[in-house]
Amino acid sequence: ALSSLPNNNDSTATTAAMATKTPSSSLKEIRPLWDHRGGILARAFYMVSNYVLAYEIDTAAEYAMNDNGVIIVIDRWYASTCAYTIARPPVLHDGDGDGVGWTSTDDIIENLPEEVYDWPQDLQLKPQILLVLQIDPEIRQKRVEHRASSLSGSGGGASRFNPWDDRLANEPQLGSRILEVLSSIKGPNAIHSLNANATETEVVAQALD
């Protein structure tokens, strides 16, 4: 989605703004296919989706950008792909094709080379700020259940089946591992954590603070 924001330094000027997410809307119809396959195939899909979005952003920004530049807000992006993969790495063979997670944070974080946290050199679009939303497991589960009930009977969509909902509910340490990896990502100029237990309005206020 593209829009224009007022420039506080010039009442007559506007700054273009763009909001998007990974996977992008262009991949919405095929996302459930890869989610159901799981394992390394699903991880490959989410990795490729970062590059698809980078192309779409470059194309859209080319038309939207003005002298004041363009502000781009992305939900998830490469940092999410990296964090989820490291926190619960996939395996090539596992019955239903699903990945098997590690059991110890030390096995994942401390024994991996620092290079795995580097932003890919060929993914040139890097965020200036990475906002990490932290939420208590109990509140997260309630919101997941609310989302599932609101989608019931909707015919199914990209978010109707999300295997990570069950994984986070069944593996108490998985969320902590994901947050630990996110805090180690190299590429963003700054990383800030937000309290996502708060209301939507309060979270937005934190992000703008």
Side-chain angles (χ1 to χ4, degrees), residues 78-88 177-179 181-182 185:
Y78 172 76
S80 175
T81 304
C82 180
Y84 277 71
T85 299
I86 292 176
R88 196 175 192 273
R177 294 201 297 265
I178 291 171
L179 290 174
V181 177
L182 284 171
I185 296 294

Side-chain angles (χ1 to χ4, degrees), residues 38-43 81-94 97-105 107-109 112 164 167 171 174 177-178 181:
I40 197 168
L41 291 176
R43 305 304 175 86
T81 304
C82 180
Y84 277 71
T85 299
I86 292 176
R88 196 175 192 273
V91 293
L92 293 176
H93 302 288
D94 174 44
D98 195 8
V100 175
W102 296 70
T103 57
S104 170
T105 303
D107 291 339
I108 306 168
I109 308 299
L112 287 176
W164 289 97
R167 292 167 187 165
E171 301 177 32
L174 179 57
R177 294 201 297 265
I178 291 171
V181 177

Side-chain angles (χ1 to χ4, degrees), residues 152-174:
S152 178
S154 63
S159 62
R160 182 99 184 273
F161 173 81
N162 187 341
W164 289 97
D165 290 340
D166 289 337
R167 292 167 187 165
L168 286 164
N170 296 328
E171 301 177 32
Q173 298 303 315
L174 179 57

Side-chain angles (χ1 to χ4, degrees), residues 131 133 194-195 198-209:
L131 299 177
L133 276 63
L194 306 181
N195 177 15
T199 65
E200 181 179 345
T201 300
E202 291 170 336
V203 173
V204 170
Q206 292 179 58
L208 297 176
D209 188 4

